[in-house]
Amino acid sequence: MTQEEQNTIVGRFFIALDWLKETRQIRGIKTFTDRYGIHRRSLQRLRETPSTNDFKAVWLTYLVVDFGIDAAWLLTGEGRMHA
């Protein structure tokens, strides 16, 4: 995977997180990080600089399994974000 592809996936990850916040499925980023044991600063740094190596693929799994975000959309941008 190229750095550009990873940055694009990271971008969709944050689009999904923002959508979850807007639809009140999570209260905010802190809710997400606390629930999954993620250091909030890691997500802040990742949002500011997507090319850092802070991104963990398992974070996508949380969105797919627990919130119904479409895995194909996260990885490719095709289809709808949420069914």
Side-chain angles (χ1 to χ4, degrees), residues 53-70:
N53 289 325
D54 290 336
F55 185 70
K56 308 292 184 233
V58 69
W59 299 347
L60 298 176
T61 305
Y62 303 146
L63 295 178
V64 172
V65 173
D66 294 341
F67 297 101
I69 303 297
D70 185 74

Side-chain angles (χ1 to χ4, degrees), residues 1-12 14 45-56 74-75:
M1 174 181 309
T2 67
Q3 189 63 53
E4 183 178 337
E5 291 168 327
Q6 179 176 323
N7 292 352
T8 303
I9 292 169
V10 168
R12 284 192 291 271
F14 282 109
R45 188 173 39 246
L46 183 63
R47 190 183 287 262
E48 294 165 5
T49 312
S51 60
T52 64
N53 289 325
D54 290 336
F55 185 70
K56 308 292 184 233
L74 281 168
L75 295 175

